[in-house]
Amino acid sequence: MAKHVIASLRDFPAGTRKLVDVRGRQIAVFNIKGEFFALANRCPHQGGSLCEGRLTGLVEASEPGKYRYSRRGEIIRCPWHGWEFDVRTGKSWCEPSKVRARQFAVSVAPGSALVEGPYVAETFPVRIEDDYVVLDI
Ligand code: FES
């Protein structure tokens, strides 16, 4: 499994999301209060873009007229037909055991911990001698 840097932490503040393309896959990455989650950007219903959905919360009712709103900003609603998915797990709200958006692992890593890529440009030492720029090849 290869690592792909998608953004600097500074450019990805809490409450925002990014649509990234990694090896031909569109992935919606969410920063929910400083925690990062990544879902396939394809709604399992008919393929709507989850990244364009509205982030909402969870409404639960113990009895008619009494409801509780929680988990603000952790449920993504597909913009096409309104199916809702838990951003933390990818599970749908309508059928959590069968219908889910595919999840991908996402984490925050210090720049020093990232492995160098496989491609390195050829470099040559350069020095300055009495006002002349000299390239050693
Ligand atoms: S495509 Fe997402 S709810 Fe229909």
Side-chain angles (χ1 to χ4, degrees):
M1 190 178 303
K3 292 185 180 299
H4 300 272
V5 176
I6 56 169
S8 75
L9 190 57
R10 184 177 358 150
D11 298 333
F12 202 159
T16 63
R17 60 185 90 170
K18 287 188 185 299
L19 178 61
V20 298
D21 189 301
V22 176
R23 300 172 111 183
R25 280 194 180 134
Q26 295 233 314
I27 299 174
V29 184
F30 300 87
N31 180 342
I32 309 288
K33 300 170 195 155
E35 292 183 89
F36 288 85
F37 304 95
L39 299 176
N41 192 42
R42 190 178 192 321
C43 175
H45 180 220
Q46 290 184 347
S49 169
L50 293 180
C51 196
E52 295 175 19
R54 182 178 186 168
L55 279 169
T56 183
L58 186 62
V59 178
E60 297 168 295
S62 55
E63 61 185 84
K66 290 193 176 181
Y67 68 92
R68 190 171 70 99
Y69 188 73
S70 62
R71 302 188 57 200
R72 181 182 297 273
E74 296 183 14
I75 308 295
I76 188 78
R77 183 178 297 150
C78 179
W80 284 10
H81 310 104
W83 286 23
E84 294 178 334
F85 300 88
D86 186 328
V87 173
R88 290 183 176 274
T89 64
K91 290 181 179 178
S92 69
W93 185 241
C94 61
E95 248 187 303
S97 61
K98 290 185 180 172
V99 180
R100 64 172 51 206
R102 184 166 180 197
Q103 249 189 325
F104 296 91
V106 61
S107 61
V108 175
S112 59
L114 297 173
V115 179
E116 289 181 8
Y119 305 107
V120 178
E122 188 176 14
T123 60
F124 303 96
V126 177
R127 66 178 186 277
I128 299 172
E129 293 180 349
D130 296 330
D131 299 326
Y132 296 97
V133 176
V134 179
L135 178 63
D136 291 330
I137 298 181

